[in-house]
Amino acid sequence: MRGDVSKRKICEWNHGAKGCFAYKIVLCAIFHLESDFIMQKILWLMIIALLVAGCRNSATQADNPAVRISIRTDPILPYVGDATVLVRLSRPPDNTPINDAQKIELKGDMTHAGMVPVFGETTASGIDGYYEIPLNFTMAGDWVISVTATLANGTVATYQASVAGVANVMPNFDVIEDCATPDDNSTETIPDCLLDMTEEPLRFEIMP
Amino acid sequence: MTDLLQLPFFKQMAQWRYGRLMLQIPFTLIALLLVYDGFTGSQTAPENLATVGVWVHYRGILILALFFIGNIFCMGCPFTLPRTLAKRLSKRGKRFPRILRHKGLAIFSLLLLFFLYEYLDMWASPALTAWVIVAYFVLSFALEALFTESAFCKYVCPLGTFNFVYSALSPAQISVKNRDVCRTCVGKECINGSYSPAPIIRLDSITINGEITQKEVIHRPQGTLGCGTELFAPQIKSNFDCTLCLDCVRACPHDNIGWMTRRFGRELSDASAWSKRWDISFLLIGLAFWGLLNAFGMIPPVYDLMQSLANGLGLPALGWSDSTIELVVLGMIFVVGGIILPIGVMVLAGFLTKISQPHPVETAYMPSTPKNEHNIRLIIGNFAPAFIPIGFGIWLAHYAFHFLSGVFTIIPTVQFFLLDHNITFLGNTPNWALGGVDFGVIGVVQLVALMGGFVWSMALVQTISLREFRRNAMLPTLIWGAVVLGLMLAAVWIFAFNDMEMRGSVLFH
């Protein structure tokens, strides 16, 4: 008997009704149905969703090829508590240091949703392109560090890198490579000695 | 018993043909919003509605709602909308294959979801979270299009299975008001539904307290649905398999079905409320173990264990990638901790209980016949519901940690989403400082959840032992109590003696 209830019907008001058609899709799907109508409206919804998504601020930001940002943490394998994030700004391809950034801001997020981020910033001038910013890792686990650098000319460059495996306690330093002097002339995005700590940059953007 | 559906507003919503839809539409819109943001928004999990909404707030609110209200998430489930669409698109299909009509698929999908959650670090990936939601929509649509009954809800859905089990604790249940009415009901519309191409009127002779009254029953072209999971209202003794869709309430021509209040967890000590099937017993007991497994995946010892397993098997020397090694060792942990351990423990406890009895077990539910005396399956089936409170306590302790520690983070996440679309009515910058409850308070909540679940389970073990074994209840109580105690100690070790470490990356060396 239940199968008979699901008999196909034509949604008679589907073309004449006014208002939001998302609302109509749901109601039409449940109350009365014409499959072509539903598929057509679902396609329209998807197109609109894509258009809206394309207009998101985050989707319209362009890469800034004029600035290269890299980071490292001190200690290299950080643990819960205070740490220092060393941010280096330079101009590719020869990695000319940028020392006159107005402000550099850090936002540290845990990779798990629902955790409160931590923040750090500096307005001090850089030394050989390096800026030291204190950051407090509040919990063990994987973190994502977002760097927002406001340059002297007002442009903003951003960069994201993951810092994996922040430990609860100080890790065994026997396993740490000597990474005290990163190779600043490297043409790689991240110096080799930092690869254990930071993964490939997630994005490299500029905001108006 | 009070019928909650007699309360103002609830009554109208329950009787209205589209009452459930009014609950489903907001849930559906939320689900679509999560999918949209999951695919197109920031892929940093704390900044995305999909990850914050699903892994922090949905799970936290769900576990609390299951306890205090019941299975209202199945009632408002957005995935049943494509199901309804499929039902209308498809012709009358086949029934779900008989060989699959048990909880095996649901157990598999639940374990698979837990495994993928750990292996793929779903909590850290908005896109993956969105894919999970999409997969739900597609699966529910496909199964409903292929089969006549609510196969997805009853036999596959991992979320629904979780809800079915832990809604056993809730203080409300679908029930009939007067069993006399059901005995003489002709159409049994609560399970059969009703439909007629043209309106027809039937006169039922209903006997109530020995008096026969004529009741007019009308079947209309619009029709009404009967119970999707094929529960017969007068026989419902638990919330298991009930999606709270209220189709039975709407279908009953005698207004004889309600959502009745009851004491918390009443069905746990009712032997007749639970099927003694292997799959259901394994599900009830296994969920407690899986709660531990899920929480174990978030503390540092799991990485030491994975490293030890990898080294012990010589996997790093094989030149495999870290991801492949993790797949193997995490799979081993899940097979052992999620399947072998719970099965081994429940069978061992059942066997010990069996040999602890000096005489053949003779109770109302284990009649002493040559076939089933000392039947381990029945013994395990009787004790399985006792694992629901301790399992619930473990899940609550875990989910409450995430929910309470990040309860206000949904606000900056919504602000971030709106600002990304140039909508500023909630402010010009997200207030990322909003977090949650103090960790000390969360610790107390976890302790109460674990202790409450433990005490409740121990009380149930004793009640069931006395019910089933009477004067010989001492040893069964000790045996099953030891299992519950073991779960409790493991939970205390995980939650109290280890710091949570939200880590997904494992580098084998």
Side-chain angles (χ1 to χ4, degrees):
Chain A
M1 222 178 282
R2 282 193 303 279
D4 295 328
V5 177
S6 61
K7 192 175 177 180
R8 282 193 197 186
K9 294 185 176 180
I10 302 296
C11 185
E12 294 170 350
W13 47 274
N14 59 8
H15 298 299
K18 297 190 184 303
C20 173
F21 61 71
Y23 171 73
K24 287 198 296 182
I25 283 175
V26 175
L27 293 188
C28 205
I30 303 306
F31 302 154
H32 310 284
L33 179 69
E34 185 180 83
S35 57
D36 290 347
F37 165 74
I38 293 295
M39 294 311 296
Q40 183 190 10
K41 297 307 180 191
I42 287 175
L43 279 175
W44 271 112
L45 260 186
M46 290 174 70
I47 290 168
I48 288 176
L50 286 173
L51 287 173
V52 173
C55 295
R56 295 181 76 141
N57 287 335
S58 53
T60 54
Q61 292 161 1
D63 287 351
N64 181 2
V67 181
R68 178 188 169 205
I69 303 178
S70 57
I71 70 167
R72 55 160 291 190
T73 58
D74 181 18
I76 293 169
L77 296 182
Y79 50 92
V80 173
D82 290 330
T84 301
V85 177
L86 206 58
V87 178
R88 187 164 198 273
L89 301 186
S90 60
R91 297 190 192 282
D94 56 353
N95 289 317
T96 312
I98 300 174
N99 294 317
D100 58 351
Q102 292 180 32
K103 185 167 68 173
I104 298 178
E105 297 163 287
L106 296 184
K107 178 168 174 270
D109 283 295
M110 295 212 72
T111 53
H112 198 295
M115 304 309 293
V116 179
V118 294
F119 295 90
E121 72 169 52
T122 183
T123 53
S125 298
I127 300 171
D128 196 23
Y130 287 100
Y131 299 79
E132 285 188 8
I133 305 169
L135 199 68
N136 181 267
F137 291 106
T138 51
M139 195 170 189
D142 295 341
W143 287 75
V144 176
I145 306 288
S146 305
V147 183
T148 306
T150 307
L151 304 181
N153 61 5
T155 56
V156 176
T158 62
Y159 171 80
Q160 258 190 356
S162 61
V163 176
V166 171
N168 269 310
V169 293
M170 186 181 293
N172 180 1
F173 281 93
D174 292 345
V175 301
I176 300 174
E177 296 175 37
D178 180 13
C179 197
T181 312
D183 178 8
D184 294 337
N185 294 321
S186 167
T187 54
E188 297 170 23
T189 309
I190 300 172
D192 285 343
C193 60
L194 298 184
L195 285 177
D196 282 346
M197 181 183 75
T198 59
E199 296 174 353
E200 289 295 317
L202 301 180
R203 54 177 189 249
F204 193 39
E205 299 161 346
I206 186 165
M207 289 190 291
Chain B
M1 289 200 304
T2 303
D3 182 5
L4 295 173
L5 300 180
Q6 293 304 313
L7 297 175
F9 179 73
F10 284 87
K11 185 175 184 179
Q12 285 77 15
M13 291 299 284
Q15 292 294 339
W16 187 32
R17 181 178 170 85
Y18 305 115
R20 189 186 187 195
L21 187 65
M22 292 303 108
L23 191 59
Q24 288 175 316
I25 285 176
F27 276 101
T28 304
L29 294 177
I30 291 171
L32 293 175
L33 181 68
L34 300 187
V35 170
Y36 167 73
D37 202 33
F39 284 135
T40 67
S42 164
Q43 290 304 301
T44 303
E47 294 178 346
N48 196 291
L49 289 173
T51 34
V52 175
V54 171
W55 305 121
V56 178
H57 290 81
Y58 165 75
R59 296 193 307 183
I61 295 170
L62 168 77
I63 199 91
L64 293 173
L66 282 173
F67 183 74
F68 287 109
I69 307 170
N71 195 1
I72 56 165
F73 273 87
C74 279
M75 180 194 277
C77 178
F79 307 121
T80 52
L81 282 183
R83 267 188 45 209
T84 309
L85 177 63
K87 189 181 287 239
R88 291 181 186 279
L89 280 173
S90 67
K91 294 179 179 176
R92 191 180 176 88
K94 296 177 180 176
R95 286 205 64 191
F96 202 59
R98 181 178 292 276
I99 197 170
L100 296 175
R101 276 186 234 156
H102 49 69
K103 293 295 178 188
L105 271 180
I107 290 169
F108 174 76
S109 62
L110 201 52
L111 262 174
L112 182 67
L113 184 66
F114 291 145
F115 175 77
L116 292 177
Y117 173 81
E118 298 288 352
Y119 177 62
L120 299 176
D121 306 334
M122 282 186 188
W123 67 82
S125 172
L128 271 180
T129 306
W131 274 119
V132 170
I133 299 173
V134 170
Y136 261 94
F137 276 120
V138 171
L139 256 181
S140 60
F141 178 88
L143 283 180
E144 198 66 24
L146 290 172
F147 303 105
T148 53
E149 57 201 307
S150 298
F152 180 74
C153 296
K154 194 170 182 177
Y155 301 116
V156 179
C157 179
L159 298 184
T161 304
F162 185 92
N163 298 349
F164 290 156
V165 173
Y166 290 120
S167 60
L169 301 171
S170 73
Q173 175 198 310
I174 292 293
S175 188
V176 297
K177 298 170 188 171
N178 188 329
R179 294 185 183 279
D180 283 349
V181 175
C182 300
R183 282 192 196 99
T184 47
C185 175
V186 176
K188 311 287 192 238
E189 282 85 355
C190 60
I191 189 165
N192 291 325
S194 67
Y195 170 75
S196 174
I200 59 165
I201 298 175
R202 190 184 75 216
L203 276 180
D204 282 3
S205 298
I206 299 297
T207 306
I208 303 174
N209 299 327
E211 293 184 13
I212 299 175
T213 56
Q214 297 289 319
K215 177 77 180 178
E216 193 177 86
V217 178
I218 305 174
H219 286 192
R220 296 185 172 87
Q222 296 95 325
T224 57
L225 292 171
C227 178
T229 52
E230 303 190 333
L231 300 175
F232 184 38
Q235 292 181 336
I236 292 177
K237 291 183 177 178
S238 72
N239 283 322
F240 201 74
D241 275 349
C242 178
T243 60
L244 268 187
C245 63
L246 303 184
D247 281 342
C248 57
V249 175
R250 281 181 285 274
C252 179
H254 311 298
D255 191 23
N256 192 41
I257 301 176
W259 187 22
M260 306 296 190
T261 56
R262 58 176 201 177
R263 70 177 160 82
F264 282 94
R266 190 191 65 184
E267 69 208 59
L268 297 178
S269 52
D270 180 358
S272 64
W274 297 93
S275 169
K276 308 297 184 292
R277 286 169 16 203
W278 281 111
D279 56 333
I280 291 178
S281 298
F282 177 55
L283 174 64
L284 303 187
I285 296 172
L287 260 174
F289 282 83
W290 304 337
L292 286 179
L293 200 58
N294 198 243
F296 181 61
M298 308 218 65
I299 57 172
V302 75
Y303 308 112
D304 299 334
L305 177 61
M306 289 167 72
Q307 184 69 61
S308 301
L309 283 172
N311 289 341
L313 296 170
L315 300 180
L318 296 176
W320 291 357
S321 67
D322 286 336
S323 176
T324 308
I325 297 175
E326 186 183 358
L327 178 69
V328 173
V329 293
L330 194 63
M332 290 173 62
I333 291 172
F334 263 78
V335 168
V336 173
I339 299 173
I340 296 175
L341 190 62
I343 288 179
V345 167
M346 77 178 194
V347 171
L348 179 65
F351 175 73
L352 291 176
T353 306
K354 176 186 164 186
I355 62 172
S356 73
Q357 296 306 300
H359 307 294
V361 181
E362 293 183 39
T363 71
Y365 302 106
M366 289 190 285
S368 179
T369 62
K371 186 181 176 184
N372 62 8
E373 65 183 23
H374 288 163
N375 188 318
I376 291 180
R377 177 178 62 83
L378 293 179
I379 292 172
I380 293 171
N382 276 313
F383 281 98
F387 287 81
I388 292 178
I390 183 69
F392 180 82
I394 293 167
W395 284 108
L396 178 60
H398 185 182
Y399 287 176
F401 174 85
H402 291 300
F403 179 58
L404 294 178
S405 64
V407 65
F408 302 121
T409 57
I410 192 70
I411 296 170
T413 311
V414 170
Q415 288 174 318
F416 184 80
F417 174 82
L418 294 176
L419 288 170
D420 206 18
H421 293 80
N422 296 315
I423 302 170
T424 56
F425 75 91
L426 282 183
N428 290 315
T429 48
N431 185 1
W432 293 115
L434 289 173
V437 179
D438 181 74
F439 280 108
V441 176
I442 295 172
V444 173
V445 171
Q446 289 181 307
L447 185 67
V448 169
L450 289 179
M451 285 307 295
F454 172 67
V455 171
W456 196 348
S457 282
M458 289 300 266
L460 278 169
V461 164
Q462 187 189 33
T463 303
I464 294 166
S465 293
L466 287 170
R467 184 189 72 208
E468 299 299 326
F469 304 104
R470 302 185 188 279
R471 284 178 299 177
N472 299 315
M474 175 64 81
L475 284 175
T477 304
L478 288 174
I479 292 165
W480 290 94
V483 178
V484 173
L485 180 66
L487 284 168
M488 171 67 178
L489 292 177
V492 168
W493 176 74
I494 287 173
F495 290 108
F497 291 93
N498 286 283
D499 292 316
M500 280 278 189
E501 184 169 326
M502 300 185 181
R503 179 174 162 188
S505 55
V506 185
L507 302 174
F508 294 96
H509 53 82

